[in-house]
Amino acid sequence: MNSAPYSWHAFAERQDLAAALAGHVAGRLTNAIAERGTALLAVSGGTTPARFFASLSSIPIAWNKVTVTLVDERCVPASSPRSNAGLVAANLLQNAAAAARFVPLYQEGVSIGETSEADSRMLRSLSWPLNVVVLGMGTDGHTASFFPDADNLEKLLDPSSTSTVLPVHATSAGEPRLTLSLARLVEAGFIALHIEGEDKRKAFETAMGPGAKKPIRAVLDAAGTPVDVFWAP
Ligand SMILES: O=C(O)[C@H](O)[C@@H](O)[C@H](O)[C@H](O)COP(=O)(O)O
């Protein structure tokens, strides 16, 4: 069984993980700016990233040359506590990072199908491929909005997809979602997986084992570079 290559970075404290991951991301963004004049970062939402976002926001890089977008989004207004755009606005786009450009996935009042088409057009204008992707993971092995019960999971995980943004309907997701496709995520020069707690460590280990392939495993298997996993208890 080919085991997907990844690097495991464990930290005793969540704040130490946040500072270390922020340093890695800031360094990769700075390298991208040096190489092509701009940098493209995609981050995940949920409850885990807030400390990391706060640490990254205060690192003085050329944020005016950085575009930040989302790995995925819940189809809710930015004012909703469920909004990933709201999480990024409140925790990342502050301090030095306030100078970054933010490109959201969800547009209020537009149907999810129209939004994913419109997002694809808007996002296609960005300087792909992504330079940095920061993923989260659920204990069910989902990452981004690649939920195991998604009705279009095969399309979401298709490594040859030409799609940029896809709609997701999955009972376990809660509200309808929009997600970057696996194909766009795995092109990134640096892919980090940020997980915390014993349950997620066990879920990751299981996903790396011989059982049914979970979405996180599909990402690691398709990634162009070994994924860096950042974990704290
Ligand atoms: O919108 C989202 O929910 C995310 O992008 C998703 O992929 C998240 O990373 C995991 O669900 C973990 O979420 P927690 O950090 O809340 O555990």
Side-chain angles (χ1 to χ4, degrees), residues 43-49 71-74 84 135-138 142-145 147 177 200:
V43 294
S44 295
T47 58
T48 302
V71 164
D72 67 334
E73 179 62 288
R74 296 86 180 271
N84 290 340
L135 299 172
M137 188 192 78
H142 86 262
T143 189
S145 283
F147 291 90
R177 304 278 187 111
K200 288 190 180 182

Side-chain angles (χ1 to χ4, degrees), residues 9-145:
H9 309 269
F11 298 84
E13 301 296 337
R14 294 181 175 186
Q15 188 53 47
D16 297 339
L17 183 161
L21 178 54
H24 279 273
V25 169
R28 294 292 183 137
L29 294 174
T30 298
N31 292 347
I33 292 165
E35 286 166 16
R36 65 183 199 185
T38 61
L40 184 55
L41 164 66
V43 294
S44 295
T47 58
T48 302
R51 281 190 196 87
F52 155 62
F53 286 165
S55 295
L56 181 59
S57 75
S58 58
I59 300 179
I61 65 172
W63 284 106
N64 63 320
K65 297 188 186 316
V66 177
T67 297
V68 179
T69 191
L70 290 166
V71 164
D72 67 334
E73 179 62 288
R74 296 86 180 271
C75 294
V76 295
S79 57
S80 163
R82 294 279 298 162
S83 167
N84 290 340
L87 181 79
V88 167
N91 296 280
L92 177 54
L93 302 177
Q94 57 173 342
N95 305 320
R101 176 190 179 203
F102 177 65
V103 177
L105 294 192
Y106 177 66
Q107 301 171 59
E108 243 181 288
V110 181
S111 78
I112 186 169
E114 289 170 313
T115 299
S116 58
E117 279 309 307
D119 277 335
S120 284
R121 282 194 303 276
M122 178 171 59
L123 288 171
R124 267 201 293 273
S125 67
L126 302 182
S127 53
W128 299 87
L130 289 160
N131 297 107
V132 177
V133 167
V134 183
L135 299 172
M137 188 192 78
T139 51
D140 61 354
H142 86 262
T143 189
S145 283

Side-chain angles (χ1 to χ4, degrees), residues 44-46 71-75 82 84 136-157 166-180 182 185 213-216 218-219:
S44 295
V71 164
D72 67 334
E73 179 62 288
R74 296 86 180 271
C75 294
R82 294 279 298 162
N84 290 340
M137 188 192 78
T139 51
D140 61 354
H142 86 262
T143 189
S145 283
F146 309 150
F147 291 90
D149 61 334
D151 52 11
N152 57 342
L153 185 60
E154 194 174 331
K155 187 173 182 183
L156 298 174
L157 299 182
L166 290 166
V168 179
H169 295 280
T171 304
S172 64
E175 57 283 293
R177 304 278 187 111
L178 289 163
T179 188
L180 294 186
L182 174 143
L185 294 176
K213 187 179 278 197
K214 305 273 188 176
I216 186 64
V219 171

